[in-house]
Amino acid sequence: QHLQTKIDRLEEDIKYKLTDVITTTSATLVELKDLISSLNHHVATAKQRVSNIEDAQQDLNREVMELRKHIADLCSKVDDQENRARRNNVRIVGFPEGVEHGRPIKFLQETLPELLKLPSGTSLEVERAHRSLAPKPAEGQRSHPFIVKFLRYQVREQILTAARSLGTLEWNGSRILMSPDLSRDLMEQRWRLMPIKKVLREKGLKYLFYPVTLKLTCDGKTRSFMEPKVVEEFLQQ
């Protein structure tokens, strides 16, 4: 009977401890469930915030792209207007500093007809002429070019055509170069295609720049290019 009493007490003790463990475990599980539920809520909230940020970023990217396109369009229009304003201009490089003695229009009107072998009596109507605005070059450096605006576009074309036909121009030992007066952006675009000119000349192919498009005549057909790489690929065919 004494042993049975001990066994009964042991069973009661075990039941009590198991009940306590189960109760504690149940409470812990409830807490874990609440914690998981809270974490799920936070995760869902975080996902929504991330989604909102991504949507806002996409909207921002679209706005930036639209602004860049708008700026590019505006720059293109400004550049076009600048080049239209320079339509009658010619850039002349090579005349030594000071040869015009402060009277560039008179000097050019007297010098260019003979230099370019223009027909006798050709009148060069110059609206204005000046040296490019830059610090005075040091001795031995290239002199400032003349920027000349002719009154009529036809005269400007006559000057450039005569210069191209003569090839090399020389005045009192100085080599003279003439070219259209273009904006910086347009000049940079032209310079990208300049290296290919030597290749075209070596192959005896006819080409023309207008204004930054290279028009190449080959096998009786004229093709237009704007990238040196495309021209090279065409020549390798």
Side-chain angles (χ1 to χ4, degrees):
Q1 187 177 2
H2 181 68
L3 180 59
Q4 184 63 44
T5 301
K6 287 186 176 182
I7 292 173
D8 291 341
R9 288 178 179 176
L10 182 60
E11 287 179 351
E12 288 294 327
D13 188 45
I14 291 173
K15 287 180 181 180
Y16 174 78
K17 290 182 178 180
L18 283 175
T19 300
D20 185 56
V21 169
I22 292 171
T23 302
T24 303
T25 302
S26 297
T28 303
L29 289 174
V30 170
E31 291 178 359
L32 286 174
K33 183 178 179 181
D34 292 341
L35 178 60
I36 291 172
S37 178
S38 177
L39 286 174
N40 286 336
H41 174 71
H42 286 303
V43 169
T45 302
K47 285 183 177 180
Q48 185 60 49
R49 289 178 178 177
V50 170
S51 177
N52 293 340
I53 292 173
E54 289 177 345
D55 292 341
Q57 183 65 41
Q58 289 179 356
D59 292 340
L60 182 60
N61 289 341
R62 279 194 294 269
E63 290 180 10
V64 169
M65 291 178 65
E66 290 174 0
L67 285 173
R68 285 179 176 174
K69 183 179 183 300
H70 186 55
I71 291 172
D73 290 341
L74 289 176
C75 289
S76 178
K77 290 178 180 178
V78 170
D79 191 62
D80 179 65
Q81 290 298 318
E82 182 179 350
N83 284 295
R84 287 178 184 275
R86 299 178 184 224
R87 187 170 183 266
N88 293 1
N89 291 12
V90 173
R91 177 181 289 263
I92 304 175
V93 180
F95 285 113
E97 292 285 332
V99 294
E100 68 276 20
H101 300 294
R103 304 178 66 184
I105 292 179
K106 183 176 184 295
F107 169 75
L108 294 169
Q109 286 177 328
E110 293 176 350
T111 304
L112 293 183
E114 182 180 353
L115 177 66
L116 297 173
K117 297 180 173 52
L118 299 177
S120 178
T122 298
S123 176
L124 300 182
E125 299 171 289
V126 178
E127 183 175 332
R128 62 176 179 267
H130 60 85
R131 295 275 188 175
S132 66
L133 302 177
K136 186 176 180 179
E139 186 175 349
Q141 291 183 335
R142 176 176 287 184
S143 59
H144 291 152
F146 279 113
I147 307 299
V148 188
K149 183 173 185 178
F150 293 97
L151 190 62
R152 293 183 296 118
Y153 176 76
Q154 291 80 359
V155 175
R156 179 255 203 186
E157 285 299 284
Q158 182 184 18
I159 294 295
L160 293 175
T161 300
R164 282 194 297 266
S165 64
L166 291 172
T168 301
L169 299 175
E170 189 172 312
W171 183 85
N172 291 350
S174 298
R175 186 181 179 189
I176 308 300
L177 301 173
M178 299 187 187
S179 64
D181 179 39
L182 306 173
S183 68
R184 177 174 294 182
D185 287 346
L186 199 56
M187 282 298 298
E188 289 177 354
Q189 293 180 54
R190 286 174 67 95
W191 276 111
R192 289 170 56 196
L193 285 166
M194 286 301 177
I196 206 69
K197 288 174 61 178
K198 181 179 178 181
V199 178
L200 297 177
R201 285 196 297 267
E202 291 174 349
K203 292 180 176 291
L205 298 175
K206 295 181 179 180
Y207 64 90
L208 177 69
F209 277 127
Y210 184 81
V212 294
T213 301
L214 188 146
K215 295 182 179 294
L216 173 63
T217 301
C218 182
D219 298 330
K221 296 181 180 180
T222 300
R223 298 171 174 82
S224 298
F225 303 92
M226 295 188 68
E227 295 291 337
K229 184 177 180 181
V230 180
V231 183
E232 294 172 355
E233 290 175 352
F234 171 75
L235 295 176
Q236 292 174 359
Q237 293 178 1

